[in-house]
């Protein structure tokens, strides 16, 4: 969470990073996982369409 970090960031007008390295890493990991799931779903749909066309 880092409430202290967030308050310090706001009070210093951004001189201190709003998010810690751990928070940035967690957000990046979550976004990457979400994108991978989306990509997998899309690939499955494309394979289904391709099978219909082939066969």
């Amino acid at each position: 969470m880092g409430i202290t970090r967030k308050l310090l960031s706001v009070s210093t007008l951004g001189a201190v990073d709003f998010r810690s390295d751990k928070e940035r890493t967690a957000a990046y990991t979550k976004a990457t996982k979400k994108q991978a799931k989306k990509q997998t779903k899309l690939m499955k749909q494309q394979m289904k369409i391709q099978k219909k066309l082939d066969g």
Side-chain angles (χ1 to χ4, degrees), residues 3-54:
I3 293 172
T4 304
R5 171 183 289 280
K6 290 175 183 14
L7 286 172
L8 192 57
S9 178
V10 171
S11 66
T12 61
L13 301 175
V16 175
D17 287 338
F18 190 74
R19 291 200 166 120
S20 68
D21 291 340
K22 285 182 179 182
E23 286 176 310
R24 271 193 294 271
T25 302
Y28 176 76
T29 302
K30 184 177 179 180
T32 303
K33 185 177 179 181
K34 184 177 179 181
Q35 190 64 31
K37 283 185 176 185
K38 188 176 180 181
Q39 183 71 21
T40 302
K41 183 178 178 181
L42 181 63
M43 288 179 69
K44 284 181 181 180
Q45 290 174 347
Q46 289 175 343
M47 287 182 67
K48 191 183 254 187
I49 292 169
Q50 188 65 33
K51 285 182 181 181
K52 283 184 182 179
L53 293 175
D54 289 342

